[in-house]
């Protein structure tokens, strides 16, 4: 078992704390885990059944069973020592995991294993202890998940296109899907800017002041602000393809929030935040010197816009609707 795998006792405590509505950050501290680990555990191992919705939720025994089932294939080599010995011997002779798995299938061996299982073992703690990675043609520090391997230069992959975004986001049926953009000011005033993040269903907005347009600091700031929210309140953020958002993978790694991207030169596809920016320019014109704008003033502007009734919300305010949606998650 690797260090990232929760034990049954940890899952039991997690279920108890979650049932008492303890914040995820506090649960993470109690368990000595990163909060993203807790979010991922709840998301992957919670029970859901359309026929029994009353029983939906996180249950420690069921969660542990789901996790164990997921790890069965990876443990196959450990469970069958003869197969493990044969695989290691073939690795040492220079065979690739694909060749080993293919040969076992060709020989109709009584015990077979996929090349992905072999790779998983090579990069596991047991595999590292045996230095098995040295026998691979191409070595990495760790094995990347099969469906996340992509070119380093492929900054905005096709699978993250707005065209692949779930219909529920487009229809604004679900709560927790956001749009993000940068409000840029005159160059003569420096690189300071304001990030505007707007929740699509409630039109609730968050304004963040940035010293420059570097992507990683912006993503870290988003994590600091949004990670305290329940996962279902920050499921996704849609950006345009500006270089300010190239570090989008950091969001998913830290808090499991997915990122989606507009088509090239089509910022209008994230209409909620574009509309918000137009209205915000009344208080944040392009010739405003942000260096002279205190954070308290920015918060006041943010609050004022969230407290303004919107026709699209039945003349309720974004603040009111946002609070209602949060209450539903409790």
């Amino acid at each position: 078992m690797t260090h990232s795998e929760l034990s049954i006792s940890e899952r039991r405590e997690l279920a108890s704390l979650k049932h008492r509505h303890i914040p995820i950050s506090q649960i993470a501290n109690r368990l000595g885990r990163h909060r993203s680990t807790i979010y991922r555990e709840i998301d992957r191992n919670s029970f859901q059944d359309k026929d029994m919705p009353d029983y939906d939720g996180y249950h420690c025994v069921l969660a542990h069973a789901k996790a164990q089932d997921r790890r069965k294939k990876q443990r196959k080599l450990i469970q069958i020592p003869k197969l493990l010995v044969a695989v290691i011997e073939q690795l040492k002779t220079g065979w690739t995991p694909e060749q080993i798995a293919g040969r076992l299938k060709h020989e109709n061996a009584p015990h077979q294993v996929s090349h992905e299982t072999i790779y998983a073992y090579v990069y596991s703690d047991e595999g590292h202890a045996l230095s098995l990675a040295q026998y691979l043609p191409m070595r990495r520090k760790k094995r990347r998940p099969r469906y996340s391997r992509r070119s380093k230069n492929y900054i905005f992959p096709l699978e993250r296109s707005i065209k692949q975004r779930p219909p529920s986001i487009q229809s604004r049926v679900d709560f927790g899907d956001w749009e993000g953009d940068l409000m840029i000011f005159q160059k003569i005033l420096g690189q300071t800017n304001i990030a505007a993040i707007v929740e699509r269903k409630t039109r609730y907005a968050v304004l963040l002041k940035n010293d420059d347009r570097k992507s990683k600091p912006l993503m870290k700031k988003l994590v600091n602000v949004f990670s305290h929210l329940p996962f279902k309140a920050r499921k996704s953020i849609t950006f345009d393809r500006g270089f300010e958002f190239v570090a989008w993978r950091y969001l998913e790694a830290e808090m499991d929030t997915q990122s989606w991207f507009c088509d090239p030169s089509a910022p209008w596809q994230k209409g909620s935040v574009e509309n918000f920016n137009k209205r915000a320019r009344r208080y944040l014109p392009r010739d405003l010197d942000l260096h002279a704008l205190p954070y308290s003033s920015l918060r006041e502007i943010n609050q004022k816009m969230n407290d303004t009734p919107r026709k699209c919300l039945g003349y309720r305010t974004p603040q009111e609707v946002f609070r209602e949606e949060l209450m539903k998650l409790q």
Side-chain angles (χ1 to χ4, degrees):
M1 180 178 294
T2 65
H3 69 280
S4 61
E5 178 72 10
L6 270 68
S7 65
I8 182 62
S9 60
E10 287 178 305
R11 289 190 168 103
R12 187 178 294 110
E13 185 173 2
L14 167 56
S16 174
L17 295 173
K18 188 175 185 302
H19 181 71
R20 289 153 50 192
H21 303 292
I22 303 298
I24 296 298
S25 58
Q26 293 184 25
I27 295 177
N29 289 334
R30 288 276 296 270
L31 297 179
R33 299 280 186 163
H34 194 279
R35 59 178 179 272
S36 63
T37 300
I38 305 302
Y39 281 120
R40 188 179 300 110
E41 168 68 19
I42 294 172
D43 184 47
R44 297 179 70 186
N45 296 326
S46 290
F47 175 80
Q48 288 186 326
D49 192 319
K50 291 186 295 184
D51 297 327
M52 297 185 295
D54 292 340
Y55 295 94
D56 286 0
Y58 184 84
H59 310 290
C60 61
V61 176
L62 293 177
H64 194 68
K66 288 181 69 173
Q68 293 299 98
D69 287 342
R70 193 180 296 114
R71 288 176 58 85
K72 277 184 179 179
K73 286 187 177 180
Q74 183 176 340
R75 297 201 307 269
K76 187 174 184 178
L77 288 172
I78 301 175
Q79 293 172 341
I80 308 176
K82 289 184 178 180
L83 179 60
L84 176 59
V85 170
V87 167
I88 293 176
E89 288 179 352
Q90 290 167 332
L91 283 171
K92 291 181 177 180
T93 61
W95 287 27
T96 67
E98 289 86 351
Q99 292 168 336
I100 297 172
R103 187 64 182 181
L104 288 171
K105 185 176 181 180
H106 173 73
E107 295 177 346
N108 197 25
H111 299 295
Q112 299 181 22
V113 66
S114 72
H115 67 280
E116 285 292 336
T117 300
I118 298 175
Y119 274 119
Y121 182 81
V122 168
Y123 288 102
S124 68
D125 287 351
E126 295 87 351
H128 279 301
L130 297 173
S131 301
L132 296 181
Q134 65 178 311
Y135 302 113
L136 298 177
M138 296 180 62
R139 297 184 294 275
R140 300 185 178 92
K141 290 184 178 180
K142 61 180 179 179
R143 180 69 169 170
R144 290 184 303 221
R146 185 190 325 186
Y147 300 110
S148 68
R149 297 173 208 148
R150 53 179 69 92
S151 169
K152 291 182 180 179
N153 295 326
Y154 206 18
I155 300 174
F156 303 117
L158 292 175
E159 59 265 29
R160 295 293 181 163
S161 167
I162 196 170
K163 292 185 176 66
Q164 306 299 324
R165 201 172 63 172
S168 59
I169 300 180
Q170 182 64 29
S171 64
R172 303 181 192 271
V173 172
D174 290 341
F175 172 63
D177 299 300
W178 301 70
E179 294 177 0
D181 195 19
L182 285 195
M183 298 181 66
I184 307 301
F185 297 79
Q186 291 183 356
K187 290 184 178 180
I188 193 173
L189 299 173
Q191 296 188 10
T192 307
N193 60 79
I194 292 177
I197 315 295
V198 179
E199 202 283 318
R200 282 178 55 81
K201 183 176 183 179
T202 65
R203 274 67 167 189
Y204 181 86
V206 175
L207 294 176
L208 303 172
K209 188 176 178 182
N210 307 293
D211 295 330
D212 52 43
R213 298 177 65 178
K214 293 180 180 178
S215 185
K216 192 64 175 287
L218 172 59
M219 295 302 159
K220 287 184 177 181
K221 188 169 291 188
L222 291 179
V223 169
N224 290 336
V225 171
F226 285 91
S227 60
H228 73 282
L229 292 174
F231 172 72
K232 290 185 178 180
R234 47 160 182 78
K235 295 177 294 186
S236 74
I237 304 180
T238 300
F239 302 106
D240 58 35
R241 295 175 181 248
F243 64 86
E244 304 90 352
F245 309 120
V246 298
W248 59 271
R249 290 180 178 86
Y250 185 80
L251 293 179
E252 190 162 343
E254 290 297 311
M255 59 179 187
D256 289 344
T257 297
Q258 288 189 319
S259 297
W260 303 98
F261 298 96
C262 299
D263 293 331
S265 303
W268 51 268
Q269 291 177 327
K270 47 180 177 61
S272 296
V273 71
E274 292 290 326
N275 178 271
F276 175 86
N277 287 350
K278 290 179 181 179
R279 295 185 296 109
R281 285 297 184 184
R282 289 178 293 176
Y283 313 105
L284 301 167
R286 294 181 182 275
D287 60 356
L288 176 66
D289 184 0
L290 291 182
H291 294 285
L293 180 70
Y295 281 98
S296 58
S297 296
L298 182 62
R299 286 196 297 269
E300 290 176 3
I301 294 172
N302 198 167
Q303 187 66 42
K304 182 175 184 178
M305 298 195 69
N306 283 331
D307 284 338
T308 300
R310 300 290 303 277
K311 181 179 179 180
C312 59
L313 300 176
Y315 295 103
R316 292 178 296 169
T317 69
Q319 178 77 34
E320 291 170 341
V321 182
F322 187 78
R323 287 178 175 172
E324 290 175 6
E325 292 294 335
L326 284 180
M327 290 295 292
K328 293 178 183 178
L329 299 181
Q330 296 182 1

